[in-house]
Amino acid sequence: ALPGSSLGEAQMRRFAVFTGFDGTEEEWSEEFRLICSEGGSACSSVDFDLFTRLVDDEGDGGCYCSDAELRTIIAELSKES
């Protein structure tokens, strides 16, 4: 995601799978709503600022990724395109 862009539920699920999510579609929908609530509102997408907070958050509410892990995920997603 680039500043000014956002990721929808399906796009965020692809990222979540790379970070260990293995639940059902319904479970992901609930998780996505929780992620959106972290942004302070009901939303249909995760913007750059919220995504940045999520990957930098080492607590239970985040999905911390090191820069190296993010580069690996980007490389894997690029192969799928």
Side-chain angles (χ1 to χ4, degrees):
L2 299 172
S5 64
S6 61
L7 299 171
E9 185 173 336
Q11 293 165 314
M12 279 298 295
R13 185 170 188 197
R14 290 179 68 203
F15 171 76
V17 168
F18 277 101
T19 60
F21 181 81
D22 63 355
T24 66
E25 193 73 39
E26 293 78 23
E27 290 168 328
W28 173 247
S29 289
E30 178 62 26
E31 185 68 22
F32 185 74
R33 281 192 292 280
L34 291 172
I35 290 170
C36 285
S37 72
E38 294 288 319
S41 66
C43 67
S44 59
S45 63
V46 172
D47 66 16
F48 182 78
D49 291 335
L50 178 54
F51 184 81
T52 301
R53 286 197 314 260
L54 288 169
V55 298
D56 285 342
D57 184 350
E58 296 185 49
D60 291 338
C63 47
Y64 178 79
C65 290
S66 68
D67 290 348
E69 289 169 321
L70 287 171
R71 282 191 289 275
T72 299
I73 292 168
I74 291 168
E76 290 299 318
L77 288 173
S78 295
K79 289 179 191 175
E80 294 178 13
S81 299

